[in-house]
Amino acid sequence: MKALLVVDVQNDFCPGGALGIKQADKIIPAINRYVKIFSAKKIPVLATRDWHPKKTVHFKKYGGVWPEHCVKNTKGARFHPKLRLPKKALLLYKGMDPKKDSYSAFQAQDKEGVSLAAFLKAMGITELYLSGLATDYCVKFTTKDAIKKSFKVNILLDAVKGVDLKPGDSAKAIKEMRNLGAKSLTLVKFKRQLESFGNSG
Ligand code: VGL
Ligand code: ZN
């Protein structure tokens, strides 16, 4: 069984946001296309949001590396208005702990505190398709955790974008993920694979 993971497609990570990633909004049409395809195949779609308290060591002001961003319940923390998620999408939150950075979606949980891993287990999911922001942080750390937990991972190259605090970080992250065993693909290749997808994923 497969699932599509949409990572942190939030206003603050897009141009104009507090931690705006260059051209981050350009991947949203691709994400929407993947979402449509997966939904039509009845494959679960899960979406995470970076969801910080106002005061956290994740922010520069308190010793971290980032400007204040994605503070829970603010406009910056909302999904980008162009993102189209299915009504049934599972919504997860991460970064709530004021004492640490948490980048991986495996540190995310739903409103009731159910973790990503628990959801995936309950749904019998063993293979993930990753999209969203940022390639060199959440996507990378999620991939590492997923592979450690024996999930198959596919990076949707046309549906991710990185911060590149240092130039080349995203390219390096993709190399790293592929070395760990993640596959990478784009919509064209993905559509070719579709033939082999069953209704049950
Ligand atoms: C992230 C930077 C700051 C991420 C979160 O999850 O990719 N990146 N906070
Ligand atoms: Zn953050």
Side-chain angles (χ1 to χ4, degrees):
M1 292 277 274
K2 305 166 193 293
L4 172 65
L5 203 52
V6 180
V7 172
D8 300 359
V9 182
Q10 294 163 273
N11 289 324
D12 269 346
F13 289 128
C14 292
L19 184 36
I21 296 168
K22 235 200 225 161
Q23 305 213 307
D25 51 332
K26 296 285 194 293
I27 62 167
I28 297 174
I31 296 176
N32 289 341
R33 275 196 290 277
Y34 285 112
V35 165
K36 258 198 183 157
I37 295 169
F38 277 86
S39 302
K41 294 270 176 192
K42 306 235 187 306
I43 296 169
V45 177
L46 299 96
T48 65
R49 262 171 288 181
D50 211 25
W51 201 251
H52 299 307
K54 183 106 176 108
K55 194 175 166 184
T56 162
V57 297
H58 186 59
F59 295 160
K60 257 182 206 147
K61 229 203 232 165
Y62 305 103
V65 294
W66 306 107
E68 185 177 305
H69 64 277
C70 297
V71 173
K72 62 182 174 184
N73 299 314
T74 61
K75 187 180 171 208
R78 277 188 216 150
F79 288 121
H80 190 283
K82 291 220 170 86
L83 180 66
R84 294 285 170 265
L85 290 172
K87 274 201 196 73
K88 285 193 298 192
L90 264 168
L91 304 181
L92 301 157
Y93 304 83
K94 67 181 181 61
M96 289 81 85
D97 188 336
K99 294 202 180 64
K100 59 181 182 198
D101 292 307
S102 47
Y103 296 112
S104 169
F106 282 90
Q107 288 166 295
Q109 46 185 245
D110 78 348
K111 279 276 189 233
E112 269 76 54
V114 181
S115 70
L116 173 65
F119 274 118
L120 297 178
K121 190 164 181 216
M123 295 189 287
I125 289 158
T126 53
E127 181 165 8
L128 299 174
Y129 287 77
L130 295 192
S131 66
L133 308 165
T135 311
D136 38 357
Y137 289 91
C138 192
V139 174
K140 184 176 85 174
F141 285 98
T142 301
T143 296
K144 284 186 167 178
D145 280 349
I147 288 172
K148 231 184 278 167
K149 292 173 192 292
S150 303
F151 290 92
K152 278 196 208 165
V153 179
N154 302 278
I155 314 294
L156 301 172
L157 287 178
D158 45 3
V160 295
K161 194 67 89 182
V163 183
D164 287 324
L165 267 190
K166 277 201 254 72
D169 277 356
S170 297
K172 209 171 107 198
I174 286 170
K175 235 186 239 161
E176 224 181 305
M177 293 187 277
R178 294 177 65 158
N179 284 340
L180 290 171
K183 300 265 189 318
S184 56
L185 66 167
T186 56
L187 194 64
V188 177
K189 199 166 158 194
F190 173 75
K191 279 184 171 164
R192 257 185 258 135
Q193 282 186 8
L194 270 183
E195 302 299 297
S196 58
F197 276 37
N199 256 355
S200 60

